[in-house]
């Protein structure tokens, strides 16, 4: 099948070109491609059909137990690289709500001397994250824990990173089908106002710097939550659509 033919078959998708190229890269038979298109048509994300997707410089296994890595989340990787430009830095990174592990693993790939711990409340997500670490050649430690009740002996960290669930509970049913039916609810639901996990992180983050992904328009409220806990805003970064996607806070411990 040619690129143009496939693109036409995918014309129902907003990102037909990207998806056509992606499918062709998989070297599949035409009959398999037709099966994929049928599943795409009913709203299943391509990454979940194929079982993996590219994020930053890595390739990540995804399934129904992990949030599908978003290109917008690469903004957090860029933000860390800008604040810590020395790639030889032996950064100690704690990732709260690691999911597929895409953020932590990508950073460990960028900083060869760094060490990382990924925390998640889902054992099934941690199994995927562990596979992704091996697949991408890095070796973080993964810990099953509620981020509000971190083990006391976790150690010291230079930075905390997190893309926590941040959708207000009531808005979940209004999300696109490819999100609400295929991403795990527990990776999306940020409680009544969507900010529950930012409150926990502002209170508990065991590091002097945090990098957070936030939802569209949440910057003012998240800043307030952190300032109340004596953090100061150290930076903000917009995603590809110009939305403020990452906030960075600093604290003198
Ligand atoms: N970016 C996701 C979405 O809007 C939400 C992910 C999250 O809650 N961290 O679909």
């Amino acid at each position: 099948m040619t690129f143009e033919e496939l693109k036409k078959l995918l014309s129902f998708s907003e990102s037909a070109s990207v998806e056509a190229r992606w499918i062709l890269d998989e070297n599949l038979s035409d009959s398999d491609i037709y099966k994929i298109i049928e599943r795409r048509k009913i709203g299943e994300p391509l990454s979940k059909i194929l079982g993996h997707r590219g994020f930053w410089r890595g390739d990540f296994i995804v399934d129904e137990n992990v949030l599908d890595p978003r290109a917008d989340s690469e903004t957090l990787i860029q933000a860390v690289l800008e604040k810590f430009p020395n790639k030889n830095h032996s950064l100690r990174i704690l990732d709260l709500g690691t999911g597929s592990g895409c953020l932590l693993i990508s950073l460990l790939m960028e900083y060869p001397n760094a060490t990382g711990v990924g925390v998640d409340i889902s054992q099934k997500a941690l199994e995927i994250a562990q596979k992704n670490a091996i697949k991408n050649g890095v070796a973080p430690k993964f810990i099953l824990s509620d981020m509000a009740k971190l083990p006391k002996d976790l150690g010291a960290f230079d930075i905390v990173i997190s893309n926590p669930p941040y959708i207000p509970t009531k808005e979940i049913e209004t999300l696109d089908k490819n999100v609400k039916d295929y991403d795990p609810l527990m990776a999306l639901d940020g409680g009544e106002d969507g900010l529950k996990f930012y409150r926990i992180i502002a209170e508990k983050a065991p590091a002097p710097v945090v990098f957070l992904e936030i939802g569209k328009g949440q910057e003012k409220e998240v800043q307030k939550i952190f300032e109340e806990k004596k953090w100061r805003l150290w930076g903000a970064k917009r995603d590809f659509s110009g939305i403020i996607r990452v906030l960075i806070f600093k604290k003198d411990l």
Side-chain angles (χ1 to χ4, degrees), residues 84-115:
F84 295 90
N86 175 7
K87 297 250 185 118
N88 294 318
H89 195 312
S90 48
L91 266 186
R92 296 164 300 176
I93 309 167
L94 174 65
D95 182 9
L96 298 178
T98 197
S100 68
C102 65
L103 292 172
L104 179 62
I105 291 166
S106 295
L107 286 173
L108 293 178
M109 290 164 78
E110 290 291 336
Y111 297 92
N113 300 321
T115 52

Side-chain angles (χ1 to χ4, degrees), residues 25-196:
D25 281 347
E26 300 278 314
N27 293 318
L28 301 164
S29 66
D30 280 3
S31 74
D32 281 343
I33 294 180
Y34 285 116
K35 282 183 213 141
I36 289 169
I37 291 168
E38 288 314 306
R39 287 171 69 181
R40 273 299 290 124
K41 268 190 190 152
I42 56 168
E44 190 171 356
L46 190 51
S47 54
K48 300 226 162 151
I49 300 173
L50 297 173
H52 69 114
R53 81 172 298 144
F55 177 86
W56 196 250
R57 301 190 202 291
D59 189 55
F60 293 86
I61 299 164
V62 295
D63 73 1
E64 69 280 8
N65 297 300
V66 297
L67 186 83
D68 201 349
R70 270 67 164 165
D72 285 337
S73 300
E74 296 182 345
T75 312
L76 191 148
I77 307 291
Q78 292 169 332
V80 177
L81 289 168
E82 284 169 17
K83 292 292 190 192
F84 295 90
N86 175 7
K87 297 250 185 118
N88 294 318
H89 195 312
S90 48
L91 266 186
R92 296 164 300 176
I93 309 167
L94 174 65
D95 182 9
L96 298 178
T98 197
S100 68
C102 65
L103 292 172
L104 179 62
I105 291 166
S106 295
L107 286 173
L108 293 178
M109 290 164 78
E110 290 291 336
Y111 297 92
N113 300 321
T115 52
V117 174
V119 170
D120 208 283
I121 199 165
S122 159
Q123 177 61 36
K124 287 185 173 159
L126 290 179
E127 284 163 20
I128 298 290
Q130 182 58 52
K131 284 186 191 160
N132 281 329
I134 294 167
K135 187 175 165 70
N136 290 288
V138 296
K141 204 163 128 187
F142 289 110
I143 293 176
L144 181 69
S145 172
D146 182 334
M147 69 169 90
K149 298 176 202 144
L150 295 172
K152 295 233 167 355
D153 57 353
L154 212 49
F157 296 93
D158 300 299
I159 64 172
V160 164
I161 60 170
S162 186
N163 173 15
Y166 54 64
I167 313 285
T169 308
K170 279 205 196 96
E171 284 176 26
I172 288 177
E173 59 189 73
T174 69
L175 297 175
D176 279 355
K177 182 179 165 61
N178 68 345
V179 176
K180 73 171 178 210
D181 290 355
Y182 296 98
D183 278 319
L185 186 61
M186 93 167 94
L188 298 171
D189 189 345
E192 199 175 344
D193 62 359
L195 304 172
K196 170 177 158 187

Side-chain angles (χ1 to χ4, degrees), residues 223-240:
Q223 187 176 346
K224 191 163 160 258
I225 288 170
F226 274 75
E227 285 176 347
E228 278 168 9
K229 295 287 169 193
K230 310 277 181 265
W231 295 86
R232 62 178 191 280
L233 188 67
W234 191 31
K237 198 161 172 61
R238 292 176 193 271
D239 65 17
F240 305 110

